[in-house]
Amino acid sequence: AQSVTQPDIHITVSEGASLELRCNYSYGATPYLFWYVQSPGQGLQLLLKYFSGDTLVQGIKGFEAEFKRSQSSFNLRKPSVHWSDAAEYFCAVGARNAGNNRKLIWGLGTSLAVNP
Amino acid sequence: NAGVTQTPKFQVLKTGQSMTLQCAQDMNHNSMYWYRQDPGMGLRLIYYSASEGTTDKGEVPNGYNVSRLNKREFSLRLESAAPSQTSVYFCASRVGGGSEKLFFGSGTQLSVL
């Protein structure tokens, strides 16, 4: 079955510290992978995506993620966290259903808190 | 640049009442989606519309109906609201074809008493 697992429900880091949010997926073919961020009271915004090619992808707001096929992972990283990065982060996998219409499978999210 | 606009932002209903959540996008996107977000359950797809004139069920369609009124608008209707439908609802759209980027509205917080 296709699934996305974000093992960490909640993470707290200090401002200026590095960050890594984990995402593992189960999918039968090469996946399309995404990270979205949700600030309080807002909709989700795309941070970055992986379709093919270079396995290290750069996104907005200084985030990057690395696709590791052997580990079925797509972890999100940032070298120095800012207080404004406090938000909910969602990993998602792009799947294709029988009707050839792609739908996303979502992880349950990781809530990030940033200490001053 | 309005993007995806959802109305209303907040709504309180009594059990059994009906209502329609409105969604409109001004980006000429082909595909539109309705999700619900609940604590500990992430985002779950209710219905989607791959293109104008088509709609399909997602993971949790029971108790909902949708209408793709035109390319811009995709509404979600609760015919007889139940407390289990208390949730935050998000509309999203994407260009379609090979583009996977979803654009989200800011959500509707619905409480059913």
Side-chain angles (χ1 to χ4, degrees):
Chain A
Q2 299 160 347
S3 65
V4 176
T5 301
Q6 295 181 242
D8 305 304
I9 297 173
H10 185 85
I11 286 182
T12 301
V13 299
S14 298
E15 191 168 18
S18 63
L19 173 69
E20 183 170 33
L21 302 182
R22 297 182 290 164
C23 174
N24 296 99
Y25 65 89
S26 173
Y27 189 66
T30 301
Y32 303 117
L33 295 156
F34 307 83
W35 275 100
Y36 281 81
V37 61
Q38 184 181 27
S39 298
Q42 300 296 316
L44 283 73
Q45 180 184 22
L46 180 67
L47 277 176
L48 47 78
K49 60 186 179 183
Y50 171 79
F51 282 6
S52 64
D54 193 348
T55 56
L56 182 65
V57 293
Q58 302 297 321
I60 62 172
K61 305 184 181 186
F63 285 91
E64 67 178 25
E66 185 171 12
F67 170 55
K68 293 186 177 180
R69 184 189 304 272
S70 61
Q71 298 177 19
S72 297
S73 69
F74 189 56
N75 293 348
L76 182 71
R77 301 192 295 248
K78 186 170 185 178
S80 178
V81 170
H82 188 262
W83 64 267
S84 60
D85 293 325
E88 189 91 14
Y89 291 80
F90 293 91
C91 181
V93 172
R96 186 188 295 266
N97 69 1
N100 198 35
N101 180 65
R102 295 191 182 104
K103 295 184 291 183
L104 295 183
I105 300 170
W106 297 86
L108 297 185
T110 297
S111 178
L112 174 66
V114 180
N115 287 333
Chain B
N1 294 335
V4 179
T5 303
Q6 289 183 237
T7 56
K9 292 189 180 302
F10 302 94
Q11 184 71 49
V12 178
L13 294 177
K14 295 181 179 178
T15 298
Q17 286 185 317
S18 63
M19 78 160 297
T20 300
L21 280 64
Q22 307 287 351
C23 175
Q25 51 90 10
D26 61 2
M27 297 173 283
N28 202 36
H29 285 175
N30 291 309
S31 301
M32 298 185 73
Y33 304 79
W34 276 106
Y35 288 93
R36 60 178 289 174
Q37 185 178 35
D38 303 288
M41 305 198 72
L43 281 168
R44 292 182 292 170
L45 183 64
I46 305 171
Y47 270 94
Y48 66 99
S49 171
S51 60
E52 184 179 1
T54 68
T55 60
D56 286 286
K57 295 178 180 180
E59 304 168 63
V60 289
N62 292 344
Y64 305 95
N65 285 301
V66 290
S67 295
R68 185 74 184 267
L69 303 171
N70 46 56
K71 193 170 186 179
R72 291 186 63 249
E73 299 172 288
F74 187 41
S75 62
L76 178 72
R77 183 162 179 82
L78 288 69
E79 291 290 351
S80 180
S84 61
Q85 295 177 304
T86 294
S87 186
V88 180
Y89 291 85
F90 288 99
C91 178
S93 70
R94 70 179 180 96
V95 170
S99 174
E100 299 293 344
K101 181 177 180 180
L102 282 171
F103 292 79
F104 282 83
S106 57
T108 296
Q109 189 167 326
L110 176 66
S111 295
V112 183
L113 306 178

